[in-house]
Amino acid sequence: TPTTTTTKMDELQKHLVLLSQEWSARNLYGLIGYLYFSLSNDPTVMLHDGRMVGKKELLVEMIAFDVDLHKYLDLLAKLLNKGETVLLNDGRVMDYKLLLAEAIAHTTYPEPFYGELANRMDNDETVTLQDGRVLDWKLAYVEAIRGGRLTEIKVLGMRMAPDETVVYLDGRVLDKKQVLVEALFVGYGDASEVLDEIMADGGTVTLYDGRVLDRKQLL
């Protein structure tokens, strides 16, 4: 019943406040789980100091602990809309791109974050990583591919315009069709869909080695 559910939630809230009194990263895990699995549209929890916080504010607190930093940077980035920013405890104002750039710098497995950047960035956007590299959406996909996310090859090729090029893994400059040929070669994605896209103009494809192939020859 609603009354029973409310009582249980109140008890859980009190328990979570007690957990947070130690103010440790480990005990904040429970608070995050509570917020993410709450049925409320705008769930909040009370911290040990009396503050009522939602998902974003709690993730900011988790980031300040510097434990599993990349995980919570990514979760916070997912909550931010385009143009939205968040203030971290160290005074930095971050948008989703800066949060993901920070996540990339704090993990040995950055490929998912490159992919997320590529998916969210508009064609005219760039992001500056902490090592000074400036990536657009195409180069972000290339970095994800470099780390083994081969399914992104097809995504990159499908999103490119016919007159676009990208500097690929080994330094080759590939156009849309050539990127999709790479997707065919690695075997990720629907081959017929990729072929249809390559031959959408009813013509041929020029491979990087100079060979010009029609659909049958490519197969």
Side-chain angles (χ1 to χ4, degrees), residues 34-45 53-55 57:
Y34 169 79
L35 289 180
Y36 270 87
F37 290 102
S38 171
L39 297 180
S40 170
N41 290 330
D42 188 23
T44 58
V45 291
V53 299
K55 292 178 185 177
E57 295 88 354

Side-chain angles (χ1 to χ4, degrees), residues 2-15:
T3 303
T4 304
T5 302
T6 301
T7 302
K8 287 182 179 179
M9 293 301 286
D10 289 342
E11 290 174 357
L12 178 58
Q13 170 71 80
K14 291 176 184 178
H15 175 64

